[in-house]
């Protein structure tokens, strides 16, 4: 499935949009990838269960990613914690070809990537798995990625345990996008630095 060009408006979750807006403000202010240490959204602690941090090794065609955090809800969805492991090994042979290209694209394009996949829980209930990847750099290429991972079902409740590995049906990608348009965000009601102010 190809990656489509998108603006930040493609992100459905309000919480993910807030995280992305904070990234966009840093990106627009510095005109380059932000440092992870500068990224401090409001109420980020409230999102901790849905966030996973990665260290990126190598900037070549196939970089590797070490999982730096537990991301408790996602650990439950995958059935085990991944902290300290390489992402490709953690995913395993079935999920690796579906998931890894999303991370490679984030590093290659040096831009946020947003995807939605359809999965089914242990009882067959349909779940949308929404993934937002945001790249960070200390100066030479992408060296960190922050992933916000959301699971939502139109059917209401669902079983998150082993959601990604609980049956033989693989996740079905329905959207793969690179956020490469409208890469700015202004807080409402505020004047951005550099704006021209005219007095009549």
């Amino acid at each position: 499935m190809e990656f489509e060009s998108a603006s930040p408006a493609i992100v459905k979750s309000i919480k993910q949009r807030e995280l992305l807006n904070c990234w966009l403000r840093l990106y627009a202010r510095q005109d380059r990838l932000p440092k992870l240490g500068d990224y401090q959204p409001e109420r980020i602690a409230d999102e901790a269960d849905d966030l996973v941090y990665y260290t990126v090794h190598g900037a070549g065609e196939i970089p590797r990613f070490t999982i730096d955090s537990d991301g408790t809800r996602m650990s439950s969805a995958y059935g085990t914690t991944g902290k300290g492991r390489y992402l490709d090994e953690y995913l395993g042979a079935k999920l690796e070809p579906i998931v890894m290209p999303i991370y490679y694209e984030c590093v290659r394009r040096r831009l946020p990537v947003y995807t939605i996949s359809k999965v089914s829980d242990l009882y067959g209930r349909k779940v949308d798995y929404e993934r937002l990847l945001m790249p960070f750099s200390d100066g030479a290429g992408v060296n960190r990625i922050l992933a916000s991972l959301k699971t939502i079902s139109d059917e209401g409740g669902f079983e998150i345990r082993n959601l990604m590995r609980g049956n033989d049906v693989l996740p079905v990608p329905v959207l793969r996008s690179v956020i490469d348009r409208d890469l700015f965000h202004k807080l409402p009601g505020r004047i951005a630095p550099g704006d021209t102010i005219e007095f009549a």
Side-chain angles (χ1 to χ4, degrees), residues 28-42:
R29 184 184 311 148
Q30 302 166 357
D31 198 29
R32 58 180 165 79
L33 287 181
K35 295 180 180 180
L36 184 59
D38 294 336
Y39 181 76
Q40 298 181 5
E42 294 180 20

Side-chain angles (χ1 to χ4, degrees), residues 1-195:
M1 186 174 186
E2 295 295 317
F3 288 85
E4 66 180 62
S5 170
S7 74
I10 200 165
V11 177
K12 294 166 65 174
S13 161
I14 293 172
K15 296 287 180 85
Q16 285 183 329
R17 188 87 64 87
E18 289 175 354
L19 294 173
L20 178 59
N21 285 341
C22 182
W23 186 94
L24 290 169
R25 284 193 294 274
L26 291 171
Y27 182 83
R29 184 184 311 148
Q30 302 166 357
D31 198 29
R32 58 180 165 79
L33 287 181
K35 295 180 180 180
L36 184 59
D38 294 336
Y39 181 76
Q40 298 181 5
E42 294 180 20
R43 300 186 299 278
I44 193 169
D46 297 344
E47 290 295 292
D49 284 352
D50 292 331
L51 298 178
V52 181
Y53 294 83
Y54 302 90
T55 297
V56 182
H57 307 280
E61 196 67 28
I62 306 181
R64 298 197 80 184
F65 306 84
T66 300
I67 303 168
D68 295 328
S69 55
D70 287 322
T72 54
R73 279 174 49 80
M74 286 306 104
S75 295
S76 181
Y78 280 93
T80 179
T81 182
K83 187 172 184 178
R85 299 175 63 185
Y86 284 121
L87 178 59
D88 56 310
E89 293 176 354
Y90 175 69
L91 291 169
K94 288 168 75 173
L95 290 172
E96 186 266 340
I98 298 171
V99 176
M100 290 310 301
I102 301 166
Y103 289 79
Y104 298 148
E105 189 74 359
C106 182
V107 171
R108 187 180 76 80
R109 296 290 302 276
R110 299 167 58 95
L111 290 168
V113 171
Y114 177 71
T115 65
I116 301 175
S117 297
K118 297 279 187 188
V119 294
S120 297
D121 74 359
L122 295 169
Y123 305 103
R125 290 172 291 207
K126 302 298 181 189
V127 180
D128 283 353
Y129 180 62
E130 300 173 12
R131 175 191 287 111
L132 173 66
L133 302 183
M134 292 171 288
F136 295 87
S137 175
D138 285 335
V142 177
N143 69 328
R144 301 295 300 277
I145 285 179
L146 174 58
S148 170
L149 309 168
K150 297 285 185 187
T151 45
I152 299 161
S153 177
D154 290 338
E155 299 180 37
F158 62 92
E159 178 59 66
I160 195 166
R161 276 185 307 113
N162 293 314
L163 180 66
M164 303 304 288
R165 303 186 202 265
N167 54 49
D168 292 329
V169 181
L170 294 173
V172 177
V174 294
L175 172 71
R176 285 188 171 186
S177 61
V178 176
I179 298 173
D180 59 1
R181 292 188 277 124
D182 302 333
L183 295 176
F184 59 87
H185 178 72
K186 293 182 183 178
L187 291 173
R190 297 189 184 182
I191 299 169
D195 277 2

